[in-house]
Amino acid sequence: MDKVVLAFSGGLDTSVCIKLLEEKYNMEVITACVDVGQPRDEIERPAMVAKELGNYRHYTVDARREFAEDYIFPAIKANAVYEGYPLSTALARPLIAKKIVEVAEKEGASAIAHGCTGKGNDQFRFEAVIRSTTDLDVIAPIRDLNLTRTEEMEYARSCGIPLPSDKLYSIDENLWGRAIEGDILEDPMVEPPEDAFEWTKPIHETPEDPEVIEIGFHGGVPVALNGEELEPVELIGLANEVAGKHGIGRVDIMEDRIIGMKSREIYETPAAFLLLEAHRGLEQLTLTRSELRFADIISSTYAELVYSGLWHDPLREDLDMAVNHMQRRVTGTVRVKLHRGSMRVIGRESPYSLYSEEIVSFEDKTLDQREMAGMVKNYALQAAIYSRVCRKEN
Ligand code: ARG
């Protein structure tokens, strides 16, 4: 029997996939779950469910550090945000796919399976990585059989798969953020109820007093909080806690999915909001005007690539090279004040600062004001000629 490695979360979709892969595809199933910072019970559950459903061989792969260093950090350096969404799910998918491929190769499997439906973005993200790194077959049982949620439930019941309790929303959580969709949130006019949020406090429950946090950056990536150097995973975790406590990081958007469908998406991404804000603050101090303008163009292209599952497009590597070169000087410290859902950079310093207090000062004479007269005189040359032409016309 051919072996297939299934990306397994222990939820309804992927549990149904196990049985379908056996019954309809006649394959031996091995399950795998990749840890990118989900809540601990979501890491333990798949192993338990795999055991209960039939003692399947199961892998748990801890990829948290790799996620932080090789996916989140490049996204911070590039200020990657898609339509207001800091790309938490989108960044994790290529890494999950990479790890599943590694398991499949180790097991000598002939195929990889995932539980994505045919409506979302993740099918693109998983398959783009799998197909650009292996020749293994890809099987997507839910999509292949065009199953609805109700049909999945019926099938699950028929083969003794435990049905989910009355879970309301569809949630995807990792180190970089929490995505909440489905149920009443599908009506874009309905305000997300408080129970949709877990990482961020509503404003009326945030501390009365502001808090100032100091973030240290080296080469464009955060390395320290309040003067203490921290490992990437720990640093992001703490940033989530601090910013979430002050009600920062809630997103409610109409998002344009890859296939063109609009969807209403809710996110909680406190660390992403805080770290990206601080990062931009430091860039303002250390990059030239032309670098900043160009970095903006890179950001939107970068975010587009990540969102649309094109992590392996060579353009992403090209952009990374440009970004890394620029980010060498994004080193220093940023102070951010958090209070009642708002966040403001209130201080920044860097050995590579391009700001000169001396030159900008009103008392300074190193810049001889008289030398500017010529530059100013012809500054709006084209506008001046344009006005002259228009005057003649009338
Ligand atoms: N729309 C987002 C994306 O495509 C997040 C989807 C998260 N999934 C979920 N079940 N909430 O990246």
Side-chain angles (χ1 to χ4, degrees), residues 311-384:
W311 182 259
H312 280 282
D313 193 291
L315 179 59
R316 205 256 315 154
E317 281 175 34
D318 300 333
L319 296 179
D320 271 337
M321 285 182 83
V323 167
N324 284 335
H325 197 266
M326 261 192 249
Q327 294 290 312
R328 287 174 312 162
R329 288 178 285 122
V330 186
T331 292
T333 304
V334 184
R335 235 176 247 148
V336 185
K337 191 182 227 170
L338 313 170
H339 191 218
R340 297 274 194 218
S342 84
M343 170 181 60
R344 213 156 23 93
V345 172
I346 55 161
R348 61 294 261 170
E349 65 178 6
S350 166
Y352 302 103
S353 170
L354 300 181
Y355 171 75
S356 163
E357 199 167 343
E358 198 191 350
I359 294 180
V360 88
S361 152
F362 290 109
E363 298 307 322
D364 171 70
K365 272 197 184 268
T366 51
L367 189 150
D368 187 332
Q369 297 181 50
R370 289 165 297 192
E371 286 172 359
M372 299 312 292
M375 182 174 174
V376 174
K377 187 175 167 194
N378 296 306
Y379 176 65
L381 189 60
Q382 293 194 338

Side-chain angles (χ1 to χ4, degrees), residues 82 85 87-91 93 120-122 125 169-173 178-182 255 257-258 263-267 306-307:
Y82 176 86
Y85 156 47
L87 297 165
S88 43
T89 299
L91 280 165
R93 295 312 188 209
N121 295 324
D122 290 337
R125 297 170 181 153
Y169 312 111
S170 160
I171 294 169
D172 183 65
E173 197 170 315
R178 186 165 176 270
I180 312 115
E181 57 184 19
E255 185 174 297
R257 286 194 190 162
I258 299 172
S263 70
R264 200 276 183 93
E265 299 283 337
I266 310 297
Y267 300 101
V306 172
Y307 186 82

